[in-house]
Amino acid sequence: MTHVKPHGALNNVACVDADVAAAICRAVQAVDASLIVLAPAGSELLRAAEAHELPAAAEVFADRGYLADGTLAPRNLDGALIVDADEAAANAVRLARGEPVRALDTGGDVVLKADSVCVHGDKPSAVAQAKAVRDALVAAGFELVALPEVVVVE
């Protein structure tokens, strides 16, 4: 095992609740402080991992829209779910390059740091999106590597 990634609702809460984020990081420290905390870019969880001196990687989502504060747009918001493979691929490349994406709540720009790009697997378009994202990132000059090659674990 190389990393810890809270899933679903726990991850969503840890993104905005510093106490929950800190509790997750204390649990990781208690189990194995060399595990990488994979946390959404700009989140409380990412800040907590850094504060707890845990190796951390900032994750962005190719198949999701963002709000102006850098959090994922709620799934019920128009544009929050990207189902088209080409659109997800273009979004992944923008995010990986550190280019702005449009905030769904304000229309303004959001720029996020990306160490890792996620494609959710809970939809029929997941495989096509993952392939399109991989191909687009490689075509854009990115090298796809395992997370421990991105984050130096001491």
Side-chain angles (χ1 to χ4, degrees), residues 79-101:
L81 303 175
I82 299 171
V83 294
D84 180 76
D86 292 334
E87 186 180 349
N91 197 44
V93 171
R94 278 192 304 276
L95 289 163
R97 286 181 174 155
E99 296 173 355
V101 294

Side-chain angles (χ1 to χ4, degrees), residues 1-6 21 24-40 43-59 113 115-116 146-154:
M1 189 161 79
T2 61
H3 65 278
V4 173
K5 177 182 174 177
I24 291 169
C25 291
R26 286 191 305 273
V28 171
Q29 279 182 318
V31 172
D32 183 347
S34 72
L35 292 172
I36 299 165
V37 176
L38 185 56
S43 68
E44 287 296 330
L45 181 56
L46 188 61
R47 284 187 280 283
E50 291 165 353
H52 284 82
E53 299 180 343
L54 292 168
E59 180 177 46
K113 177 185 182 284
D115 297 314
S116 178
L147 198 56
E149 294 179 53
V150 176
V151 179
V152 177
V153 179
E154 298 175 12

